[in-house]
Amino acid sequence: MQTHPAKRVEIIIEAMMERRLTDALVKAGVTGFTVLPVQGGSGRSGQWSRAGQVSRAGGMRAVVCIVREEALDTLLDAAFTVVERHIGVVCVTDCQVLRAERF
Amino acid sequence: MQTHPAKRVEIIIEAMMERRLTDALVKAGVTGFTVLPVQGGSGRSGQWSRAGQVSRAGGMRAVVCIVREEALDTLLDAAFTVVERHIGVVCVTDCQVLRAERF
Amino acid sequence: MQTHPAKRVEIIIEAMMERRLTDALVKAGVTGFTVLPVQGGSGRSGQWSRAGQVSRAGGMRAVVCIVREEALDTLLDAAFTVVERHIGVVCVTDCQVLRAERF
Amino acid sequence: MSLLDLALGNLLSPIILSFALGLAAALARSELTIPEAVAKGMSIYLLFAIGFKGGVAVNVAGLDARLVGALVAGAVLSFALPFAAFSLLRVLTRLSPLDAAAVAAHYGSISIVTFVAGTSVLEAAGLTSDGWMVAVAAVMEAPAILSALWLVARSGQGRGMDADLWREILLNGSIVLLVGSFVIGWITGQDGLDRIAAFIVSPFQGVLCLFLLDMGLVAGRGLREARGVLRPGLLAFGLVMPLVGSAAGAVAGLLLGLGAGSTMLFMVLGASASYIAVPAAMRVALPEANPSIYLTLSLGVTFPFNLTLGLPIYLAVSRMLTGG
Amino acid sequence: MSLLDLALGNLLSPIILSFALGLAAALARSELTIPEAVAKGMSIYLLFAIGFKGGVAVNVAGLDARLVGALVAGAVLSFALPFAAFSLLRVLTRLSPLDAAAVAAHYGSISIVTFVAGTSVLEAAGLTSDGWMVAVAAVMEAPAILSALWLVARSGQGRGMDADLWREILLNGSIVLLVGSFVIGWITGQDGLDRIAAFIVSPFQGVLCLFLLDMGLVAGRGLREARGVLRPGLLAFGLVMPLVGSAAGAVAGLLLGLGAGSTMLFMVLGASASYIAVPAAMRVALPEANPSIYLTLSLGVTFPFNLTLGLPIYLAVSRMLTGG
Amino acid sequence: MSLLDLALGNLLSPIILSFALGLAAALARSELTIPEAVAKGMSIYLLFAIGFKGGVAVNVAGLDARLVGALVAGAVLSFALPFAAFSLLRVLTRLSPLDAAAVAAHYGSISIVTFVAGTSVLEAAGLTSDGWMVAVAAVMEAPAILSALWLVARSGQGRGMDADLWREILLNGSIVLLVGSFVIGWITGQDGLDRIAAFIVSPFQGVLCLFLLDMGLVAGRGLREARGVLRPGLLAFGLVMPLVGSAAGAVAGLLLGLGAGSTMLFMVLGASASYIAVPAAMRVALPEANPSIYLTLSLGVTFPFNLTLGLPIYLAVSRMLTGG
Ligand SMILES: Nc1ncnc2c1ncn2[C@@H]1O[C@H](COP(=O)(O)O)[C@@H](O)[C@H]1O
Ligand SMILES: Nc1ncnc2c1ncn2[C@@H]1O[C@H](COP(=O)(O)O)[C@@H](O)[C@H]1O
Ligand SMILES: Nc1ncnc2c1ncn2[C@@H]1O[C@H](COP(=O)(O)O)[C@@H](O)[C@H]1O
Ligand code: NA
Ligand code: NA
Ligand code: NA
C-alpha cells in the first residue's frame, strides 16, 4: 500500500487552552486535528487526575495533528504562541500516511 | 532493555465504523489493538465535539495497532477497505517494542 | 522552531496496575507522563470494551511518557518490573520536542 | 383555550425555555456543556420511561384492533414520507440527489423527544392518547432509511445494504429500548408501574428540561458551525416539510378513527425528523452525503420549529379534525 | 403463595425483565450500551442507598447482640466457601489450580446487586430483615480473596500480598461506600432518612431496573465473547455452587436464630458471587488466571441463576426452615 | 437552640457526613472515585435546581426594591474582598504577589455549594430567605477576577484581558446555568415548579449528599497531593479570611435591611471561596500562579471550615444582628 511521509504532532495542553490552540491552528491553516481526552498525569506541577472533578481547571487534552512536512514549522509556530506561558508538551514524530491528498 | 522494531499504526475513524474496522483487522489476523475515545476534532468536513452528543454519528475513535513490520501491509490493506469511502486518517510510525513475542 | 530529540514511550496497561506503574515511574525519577483513557481493545486475552462496565478489572490505560534519550533505559526497567507478569504493551518511538528543558 | 394562548403557554413552559437557554448559551459561545455520558444517560432514561408507560397503558386499556392498523400506517408513512421530502427538496433546493436522499430519510423517521414534548402538551391540555402510540413511534424509526437508500440506488450511487447495517438499523439503541421497555410495561402493568413510578413518572418532566437544555446546546453549536449551509431554500424545506408530514399523520389518524390525542401524536411523528438513529445509519450507508446539511436541518431548524410552533398547531388542527 | 407463584412473580418483575432485555439485546448484537460513567454512577447510588437504609434501620431498631455474631459468621463463611468452591471445581472441571482458586474467590465473596434484588423479593413477600445485614454483606466482600491466595500459595504459584494490595482490597470502593453510608445512616437515623428519602428510597427500584439492564448488556456481551469457555462442568459448577453457598448461609442464619428475612439474605450472600471487587483484586494478585472464566461464570451464569430461580428458592427454603 | 446544638446538628447532617466520608476515603487512599461525567452532571443539576427555585420564589414574592441594592452590594463585595484577602495574605504568608492575587480572586468570588448548604441549614432552622439571593450569588462570581488581575497588573506581571477571556468569565457554565434557570423559574413561576418539583425539589438533598461525597474525595486527594503547600500562615489565612468575608457580608445584609435568612446567605457568599470558575480563569489569565496553592486553600481548608463550623456561626451571628 502506497504511503507518504508526514509529521505527527502531539500537543498535551491544559483543557482551558484547547480552544485557543485549535483556533490558532485553524488560523495558521492547519485544519486537520483530533482531540483526545486525558485522564490524568504528572509533571513539574505535580500529579493530577480528572476523577470526580467539576472545574475545567486542572484537566488536559491531547491534540494530535498530522501534517505534511512542509507545514510543520507553521504549525509549531502557531502552537508555540499558545503553549508558551502554559504547562504542556509538544512532541513531533515522523510518520507515513495513506491518502496523502487529505493532508 | 532489549527492544525490537515494529510498526505503530494509528487509525482515526468514525465511531460507526469501529466495529467494521476491528472485524476486518481480526479477519486479517491482526488481533492486537487498542481503541481510544476521541473528544473532538477538525477536518475537511468541519469541526466537531462530543460534548452533549447522543447520536453515535459524528463521533470518532482512535484505533492503535502495533504490529511486526512484515504484518504491516496486511493490516493496511484490511484497514483501507473499511476506511476507503469514509472520513478518517491512517498514520504509521516506526517503533520499538518490549516483549516481541507478544506481537 | 528549535526541536530536540527525545523518546516517546507508550505503555498500555491494565487500569488496576496504573498506580503501581506511575509510582514506579516516579520512584525511578520519571515525573512527566500523561494518562489517556482507553475505550476497548483486543489481544491474546480476547476482545473487550468499557461500555457499561463497573468493575475496574477489564479496563486499560495508556500512559504516554516523553523522556530524554539517556533516561529511556531507566524508564523501561521501571516499567518492565510492573508490566512483567501482566498483559499490556510497551512501545518506544523517536520524537522531537519543543522546550527541551522541561524533560 | 385559543391557539394563541396554547402557543404562548407552550412557549413559556420550562422545557421550551430550557431548550432556549441552551440554544442561547451555545450561540453566545458559552463553554457550558453537558457531558456526553450524562446526555446519553438521560436519553436512555427518557426512552425507557416513555416505552414503559406506553406498555402499561396498553396493559390497562387492553389490546385494541386499531393498534395493528396504526402500526401498519406508521410503517407506510415512514416509507412514503421520504419520497415527498425528496421531491420537495429537489424543488426548493439544489442539493445533489445523494444529499437530498439523506435528508429525506431523516424526515420519514421520527424524533422521540418531539413525541415526548407532544405528550406533555397533550397532558397540559387535559387530553389523553393511546399507550401504543409509542410502539408506532418505534415502528416509524427505520423504514425511511430503506426508502432513502432506494432513492440513491435509483441514481446508481448507493452501496448495497449488508447484514451488519440491517442489524444496526433494526436493533439500534432507541428501538431496542423503546420496544423492550414497552413490552416490560405491558407485561408488568399497573403493578410494575407502581413499583417504579417514583423513578419514571414523577421526575420525568424535570429530566426532560435538562435534556432539552442539552439539545439546545448541541443545536446551537451545530448552527454556529454550519451557518454557511442554511440557504433559504433549505430553511424553507425545514419549515414546510413538518407541515407536510403532519398532514400525512393527520390523514392516518383520521382514517384509523383515532381520538384527538393520538391523532395529534400521529401528526407529531409525521412532522418530526430523526437526529439520532438516522444520522448514524447515513454515516455508514451514505458516507458521501454531507452530515452538516441533515443534522442542521433536523436538529437546528425542524426540531425547534416543532417544539415551539408545531406542537400547538398540530394540537389545534387535530382537535378541529376529530372534534376532540 | 406457592413456590411456583413466587418464582413467576419474581420472573415477571420489572427488574428481572430489564435484565432479560439487556441480555437479549447484547446476544442479538444490538449496539445498545450504557456509558461506563452512568453505570458507575448508578452503582454508587445503589451502594449509598442500601448502606444508608441499613444504617437507619439499625438506628431505629437499636443495636442487637446478634449483629456481632452475624458479622463473625459472615467473615467465616467468606473464608470458608472458597475451599468448598475449589474442591467442587476440581471435581467438576479441569481448571488449573490457579484458575480454580481465582473462581473460588468470587464465590466466597458476594454480589451486592443480588443482595438488593433479594431485599426486593422480601418486600414483595411482605417480609422484613435486619438492617445490619448490609454490614454483613460488606464484611463478606474481602476474606474470600485471602483464602484464594492461600490456595494458590499452597501450590507454590502465588505472589506475596503487598501493602498496596491489602489497602486496595479493604478500601475498595464498594466496601467504603457501603460501610460509610451505613455509618452515616446509623448516626443520622430516621431524621436523616426523611431528608433524603425522596432520593434514596422512592426512585430506588427504578434505578435498579436500569442498572440491571446494564448488567444484562454486560453479561450478554461477556457470554458472546466467552462462548468457548463455558464447558458443561463449569456450567454445572455455576449452578450448583450457589446452592452450596446458600445452604451454608442457611446454616449461619439458623445458628444465629435470625428471622426468615435475614436468613434468606444470608443465603443470598452465600449463594452470590462477586463480579466487581474480586475480579479487580484477581487481576493484580493472580494476573495469570484467565479472567474470562471467572467473569463469565459469575456474571453470566450464577448471577442470572440467582436472580431468576435462586431468590424464590432461597425465600421458600428460609421460610420453611425458620417457620417465618 | 444554642450555637453548640446548632453546630452539632449541622455536623451530624447527612450532607456533612457524606463530605467527611469522601475526605476520609481519599486520605486513606481508597480507590473510591466518582466519574468526572457524573460529578459534572450533579453540579449541573444542583445549579439548575437552585437557580430555578430562586426564580420561582421571586415570581411568587414579587419584585423587591432591595434586589437591585443586593445585586450592587454583591458586585461591590466581590470587587472589594480580593483587596482585603491580598493584604491579609501579604501579612500572614510569604506568597509572591502573583500567587497572592490568584488566591485573592478565589475569596472574592463564591462557592455555590456552600451557598446551597447554607440554605439547608436555614431550612433546618425554620428560616426563609429571599429567592433572589441566587442572583446575588451569580453576580458575585466574576468581579473578583478583575480585581485580582488589576492587583497583578499593578506589579507589572499580568497579561492583558482578551475578548475570549471576558466571554469565558462572564459566560462560564455556572453563571449561565444559574442565571438562566433563575429566569426560567421567574417566568414559569409556581406552575412551572409544580411540573418539575419531583425532580428539582424532592431529591435535591440526596443529590447534594453524593455531590459532597465527591467533593470530599477531591478535596482529600488535593490535600494529600499538596501537603507541602499548607504552611501555617496559609492555613491561618484559610480560616480567618472566611470570617472577614462573612463580616463584610453581614454589613451588606444589615445596610440593605435584609432578614436573618438573607443576611446569613450574604455572609456565606462573602465567606466562601470559588473552586470551579475562578481556578479555570486563573489558569488562562495567570498561568504562572501555582494552582495547588489556591485549590488546596479554597477546597481543602475554607470549604470544609465553612461547611462545618462556618455555617452555624454565620447563622447565629445573623440572627443576633437582625434579631431574626
Ligand atoms: N514528559 C512528559 N511526558 C508526557 N506528558 C507530560 C510530560 N511532562 C508533562 N506532561 C503532561 O503535561 C502536564 C503538565 O506538565 P508540567 O508542566 O511539567 O507540570 C502533566 O501533568 C502531564 O500530563
Ligand atoms: N491531519 C489530521 N490530523 C489529525 N486528525 C485528523 C486530520 N485530518 C482529519 N482528522 C480527523 O479526522 C476527522 C475527519 O476528517 P476529515 O475527513 O478531514 O473531515 C477529523 O474531524 C479529525 O478528527
Ligand atoms: N498489538 C497491539 N497493539 C495495540 N494494543 C495492543 C496490542 N496487543 C495488545 N494490546 C492491548 O493490550 C490488551 C491486552 O493484550 P493481551 O495481553 O494480548 O491480551 C489488549 O486488550 C489491547 O488493549
Ligand atoms: Na417524520
Ligand atoms: Na458468596
Ligand atoms: Na467570597
Side-chain angles (χ1 to χ4, degrees):
Chain A
M1 187 121 279
Q2 174 70 11
T3 62
H4 312 266
K7 296 285 185 181
R8 179 185 188 275
V9 184
E10 185 174 52
I11 306 170
I12 299 173
I13 194 174
E14 286 184 89
M16 289 298 300
M17 301 304 292
E18 179 193 338
R19 187 142 73 185
R20 284 178 177 78
L21 174 64
T22 55
D23 284 355
L25 291 180
V26 171
K27 219 169 170 183
V30 181
T31 53
F33 52 81
T34 296
V35 184
L36 305 180
V38 173
Q39 176 65 38
S42 166
R44 295 167 315 146
S45 42
Q47 212 160 334
W48 62 277
S49 146
R50 281 311 288 167
Q53 299 279 1
V54 171
S55 177
R56 279 165 80 217
M60 307 207 64
R61 292 285 157 80
V63 178
V64 174
C65 195
I66 295 156
V67 288
R68 292 167 178 273
E69 289 176 323
E70 53 272 28
L72 180 63
D73 261 341
T74 327
L75 192 171
L76 291 184
D77 286 339
F80 190 69
T81 55
V82 177
V83 178
E84 204 182 350
R85 292 175 64 214
H86 289 268
I87 63 175
V89 174
V90 180
C91 147
V92 184
T93 324
D94 293 324
C95 67
Q96 298 279 327
V97 295
L98 294 187
R99 311 197 285 185
E101 70 285 1
R102 300 199 155 218
F103 294 90
Chain B
M1 187 119 280
Q2 174 70 12
T3 61
H4 311 267
K7 296 283 184 181
R8 178 184 187 276
V9 184
E10 187 174 52
I11 306 170
I12 299 173
I13 194 174
E14 286 183 271
M16 290 298 299
M17 300 304 292
E18 180 194 338
R19 189 142 72 184
R20 284 178 176 75
L21 174 64
T22 55
D23 284 355
L25 291 180
V26 171
K27 218 169 171 182
V30 181
T31 52
F33 53 81
T34 296
V35 183
L36 305 180
V38 172
Q39 175 66 40
S42 167
R44 294 167 313 146
S45 42
Q47 211 159 334
W48 61 278
S49 146
R50 281 312 287 167
Q53 298 279 2
V54 171
S55 177
R56 278 164 82 217
M60 306 208 64
R61 291 285 158 78
V63 178
V64 173
C65 195
I66 295 157
V67 287
R68 292 165 178 272
E69 288 174 325
E70 53 272 28
L72 180 64
D73 261 340
T74 326
L75 193 170
L76 291 184
D77 286 339
F80 190 70
T81 54
V82 176
V83 177
E84 204 183 349
R85 291 175 62 213
H86 290 268
I87 64 176
V89 173
V90 181
C91 146
V92 184
T93 325
D94 291 325
C95 68
Q96 298 279 325
V97 295
L98 295 187
R99 312 198 284 187
E101 70 285 1
R102 300 201 155 218
F103 296 90
Chain C
M1 187 118 284
Q2 173 71 12
T3 61
H4 311 266
K7 296 284 184 180
R8 179 185 188 276
V9 184
E10 186 174 51
I11 306 170
I12 299 173
I13 193 174
E14 287 182 90
M16 290 297 300
M17 300 304 292
E18 179 194 338
R19 188 142 73 183
R20 283 178 177 77
L21 174 65
T22 56
D23 284 355
L25 292 180
V26 170
K27 218 166 167 186
V30 181
T31 54
F33 51 81
T34 296
V35 184
L36 305 180
V38 172
Q39 176 65 41
S42 166
R44 295 167 313 147
S45 42
Q47 212 159 335
W48 61 278
S49 146
R50 281 310 288 165
Q53 297 279 2
V54 171
S55 178
R56 279 164 80 218
M60 307 208 62
R61 291 285 158 77
V63 178
V64 174
C65 195
I66 295 157
V67 288
R68 292 166 178 274
E69 288 176 325
E70 53 272 28
L72 180 62
D73 261 340
T74 326
L75 193 170
L76 291 183
D77 286 339
F80 189 70
T81 55
V82 177
V83 178
E84 205 183 350
R85 292 176 64 213
H86 290 269
I87 63 176
V89 173
V90 180
C91 145
V92 184
T93 326
D94 292 325
C95 69
Q96 298 280 324
V97 294
L98 295 186
R99 312 198 285 185
E101 70 285 1
R102 301 201 154 219
F103 295 90
Chain D
M1 204 158 38
S2 79
L3 178 56
L4 202 76
D5 284 350
L6 196 71
L8 206 73
N10 181 46
L11 280 176
L12 298 184
S13 72
I15 52 180
I16 307 291
L17 291 173
S18 296
F19 180 80
L21 172 58
L23 202 64
L27 291 176
R29 301 194 66 180
S30 162
E31 51 77 36
L32 176 62
T33 48
I34 292 184
E36 178 181 358
V38 173
K40 282 192 179 154
M42 290 194 292
S43 99
I44 289 167
Y45 167 85
L46 294 173
L47 287 164
F48 185 83
I50 193 86
F52 197 100
K53 287 183 280 187
V56 171
V58 170
N59 175 300
V60 169
L63 249 191
D64 188 325
R66 291 168 311 165
L67 164 59
V68 181
L71 292 178
V72 173
V76 169
L77 222 59
S78 179
F79 270 119
L81 282 175
F83 293 92
F86 189 81
S87 312
L88 200 56
L89 280 165
R90 303 293 286 170
V91 172
L92 289 174
T93 73
R94 295 169 162 216
L95 292 190
S96 71
L98 190 73
D99 282 330
V103 171
H106 291 71
Y107 284 82
S109 182
I110 59 114
S111 145
I112 200 74
V113 174
T114 314
F115 179 84
V116 167
T119 61
S120 294
V121 168
L122 279 184
E123 266 170 46
L127 289 178
T128 59
S129 59
D130 297 299
W132 38 257
M133 284 304 294
V134 171
V136 177
V139 160
M140 289 180 70
E141 285 232 9
I145 297 171
L146 297 183
S147 306
L149 296 187
W150 189 84
L151 281 165
V152 173
R154 219 182 38 176
S155 63
Q157 286 181 284
R159 151 190 291 191
M161 290 278 289
D162 57 7
D164 273 2
L165 186 53
W166 271 111
R167 202 194 42 245
E168 273 169 19
I169 292 173
L170 294 177
L171 294 183
N172 85 60
S174 347
I175 294 186
V176 168
L177 254 182
L178 213 50
V179 173
S181 57
F182 180 81
V183 170
I184 297 179
W186 194 349
I187 295 177
T188 61
Q190 190 62 44
D191 265 18
L193 184 61
D194 289 345
R195 287 172 73 167
I196 64 171
F199 178 63
I200 67 169
V201 179
S202 338
F204 189 84
Q205 291 289 328
V207 177
L208 191 56
C209 281
L210 281 194
F211 191 70
L212 281 171
L213 174 69
D214 180 58
M215 289 192 60
L217 289 167
V218 172
R221 253 189 294 139
L223 284 172
R224 233 177 48 217
E225 212 31 67
R227 280 172 310 251
V229 163
L230 269 194
R231 306 276 159 67
L234 216 51
L235 194 66
F237 172 82
L239 302 175
V240 172
M241 187 60 211
L243 300 177
V244 174
S246 69
V251 171
L254 291 180
L255 287 180
L256 291 161
L258 304 183
S262 294
T263 300
M264 187 251 194
L265 291 183
F266 236 123
M267 295 177 72
V268 171
L269 291 175
S272 68
S274 171
Y275 48 76
I276 299 184
V278 177
M282 290 300 113
R283 289 313 299 149
V284 177
L286 303 178
E288 292 88 357
N290 182 349
S292 61
I293 297 176
Y294 47 73
L295 279 176
T296 311
L297 258 188
S298 163
L299 187 55
V301 179
T302 298
F303 178 71
F305 169 75
N306 277 330
L307 206 59
T308 52
L309 299 181
L311 293 181
I313 296 178
Y314 309 147
L315 177 56
V317 171
S318 160
R319 284 187 137 165
M320 215 182 58
L321 293 177
T322 62
Chain E
M1 205 158 35
S2 77
L3 177 57
L4 202 76
D5 283 350
L6 195 72
L8 206 73
N10 180 47
L11 280 176
L12 298 184
S13 73
I15 52 180
I16 307 290
L17 292 173
S18 297
F19 180 81
L21 173 58
L23 202 65
L27 291 176
R29 300 194 66 180
S30 162
E31 50 80 36
L32 176 62
T33 48
I34 292 184
E36 179 180 358
V38 173
K40 282 192 178 155
M42 290 194 290
S43 99
I44 289 167
Y45 167 85
L46 294 173
L47 287 165
F48 184 83
I50 192 88
F52 198 100
K53 287 184 279 187
V56 171
V58 169
N59 175 300
V60 169
L63 248 191
D64 189 325
R66 290 169 312 166
L67 164 59
V68 180
L71 292 177
V72 172
V76 170
L77 221 59
S78 179
F79 270 119
L81 282 174
F83 293 92
F86 188 80
S87 313
L88 200 56
L89 280 164
R90 302 294 285 172
V91 172
L92 289 174
T93 72
R94 294 168 164 217
L95 291 190
S96 70
L98 191 73
D99 283 329
V103 170
H106 291 71
Y107 283 82
S109 182
I110 59 115
S111 144
I112 200 73
V113 175
T114 314
F115 180 83
V116 167
T119 62
S120 295
V121 168
L122 279 182
E123 266 170 46
L127 288 179
T128 59
S129 59
D130 297 298
W132 38 257
M133 284 305 294
V134 171
V136 177
V139 160
M140 289 181 69
E141 286 232 6
I145 297 171
L146 298 182
S147 304
L149 296 187
W150 190 84
L151 281 165
V152 173
R154 220 182 37 174
S155 63
Q157 286 180 287
R159 151 189 290 190
M161 289 277 290
D162 56 7
D164 273 2
L165 186 53
W166 271 110
R167 201 192 44 245
E168 273 170 18
I169 292 173
L170 294 177
L171 295 183
N172 85 60
S174 348
I175 294 187
V176 168
L177 254 182
L178 212 50
V179 173
S181 57
F182 180 81
V183 170
I184 297 178
W186 193 347
I187 295 178
T188 61
Q190 190 63 43
D191 266 18
L193 185 61
D194 290 345
R195 287 172 72 168
I196 62 173
F199 178 63
I200 66 170
V201 179
S202 338
F204 188 85
Q205 292 291 327
V207 177
L208 191 56
C209 281
L210 281 193
F211 190 70
L212 280 171
L213 174 69
D214 180 57
M215 289 191 60
L217 289 167
V218 172
R221 254 189 294 138
L223 283 173
R224 232 179 47 218
E225 212 29 69
R227 281 172 307 251
V229 163
L230 268 194
R231 305 277 157 67
L234 216 50
L235 194 66
F237 172 82
L239 302 175
V240 171
M241 187 60 210
L243 301 177
V244 174
S246 69
V251 171
L254 291 180
L255 286 179
L256 292 161
L258 304 182
S262 295
T263 300
M264 187 251 193
L265 290 183
F266 236 122
M267 295 178 71
V268 171
L269 292 175
S272 68
S274 170
Y275 47 76
I276 299 183
V278 177
M282 289 300 112
R283 289 313 299 149
V284 177
L286 303 178
E288 292 87 358
N290 182 349
S292 60
I293 297 175
Y294 48 72
L295 279 175
T296 311
L297 258 188
S298 163
L299 187 55
V301 179
T302 298
F303 179 71
F305 169 75
N306 278 329
L307 207 60
T308 51
L309 299 182
L311 293 180
I313 296 178
Y314 309 147
L315 177 56
V317 171
S318 160
R319 282 186 138 166
M320 214 181 58
L321 293 176
T322 63
Chain F
M1 206 159 36
S2 78
L3 177 56
L4 201 77
D5 283 350
L6 195 70
L8 206 72
N10 180 48
L11 280 176
L12 298 184
S13 71
I15 53 180
I16 307 291
L17 292 172
S18 297
F19 180 80
L21 173 58
L23 202 65
L27 291 175
R29 303 194 63 180
S30 161
E31 49 78 35
L32 176 61
T33 48
I34 292 184
E36 179 180 358
V38 173
K40 281 192 179 155
M42 290 194 291
S43 100
I44 289 167
Y45 167 85
L46 294 173
L47 287 164
F48 184 83
I50 191 88
F52 197 100
K53 287 184 278 187
V56 171
V58 169
N59 175 301
V60 169
L63 248 191
D64 188 325
R66 292 168 312 165
L67 164 59
V68 181
L71 292 177
V72 172
V76 170
L77 221 59
S78 179
F79 271 120
L81 283 174
F83 294 93
F86 188 80
S87 313
L88 201 56
L89 280 164
R90 302 294 285 170
V91 172
L92 289 174
T93 73
R94 295 168 164 216
L95 292 189
S96 71
L98 190 73
D99 282 330
V103 171
H106 291 70
Y107 284 82
S109 182
I110 59 114
S111 145
I112 200 73
V113 175
T114 314
F115 180 84
V116 167
T119 60
S120 295
V121 168
L122 280 182
E123 265 170 47
L127 288 178
T128 59
S129 59
D130 297 299
W132 40 255
M133 283 304 294
V134 171
V136 177
V139 159
M140 289 180 70
E141 285 232 8
I145 297 171
L146 298 182
S147 305
L149 296 187
W150 189 85
L151 281 165
V152 173
R154 218 182 40 174
S155 62
Q157 286 181 285
R159 150 189 290 190
M161 289 279 288
D162 57 7
D164 273 3
L165 186 52
W166 271 111
R167 202 193 43 244
E168 272 170 19
I169 292 173
L170 294 177
L171 295 183
N172 84 62
S174 348
I175 295 186
V176 168
L177 253 182
L178 212 50
V179 173
S181 58
F182 180 82
V183 171
I184 296 178
W186 194 347
I187 295 177
T188 61
Q190 191 61 44
D191 266 18
L193 185 60
D194 289 345
R195 287 173 71 168
I196 63 172
F199 179 64
I200 67 169
V201 178
S202 338
F204 188 84
Q205 291 291 325
V207 177
L208 191 56
C209 281
L210 281 193
F211 190 70
L212 281 172
L213 174 70
D214 180 58
M215 289 191 61
L217 289 168
V218 172
R221 253 189 294 138
L223 284 172
R224 233 179 47 218
E225 209 34 64
R227 280 172 308 251
V229 163
L230 268 194
R231 305 277 159 67
L234 216 51
L235 193 67
F237 172 81
L239 302 175
V240 171
M241 187 60 210
L243 300 176
V244 174
S246 70
V251 171
L254 291 180
L255 286 180
L256 292 161
L258 304 182
S262 295
T263 300
M264 188 252 191
L265 290 183
F266 236 123
M267 295 177 71
V268 171
L269 292 175
S272 68
S274 170
Y275 48 76
I276 298 183
V278 177
M282 289 300 112
R283 290 313 299 150
V284 177
L286 303 177
E288 292 88 357
N290 182 349
S292 60
I293 298 175
Y294 48 74
L295 280 175
T296 310
L297 258 188
S298 164
L299 187 55
V301 178
T302 298
F303 178 71
F305 169 75
N306 278 329
L307 206 60
T308 52
L309 300 181
L311 294 181
I313 296 178
Y314 309 148
L315 176 56
V317 171
S318 161
R319 282 186 138 166
M320 214 182 58
L321 293 177
T322 62

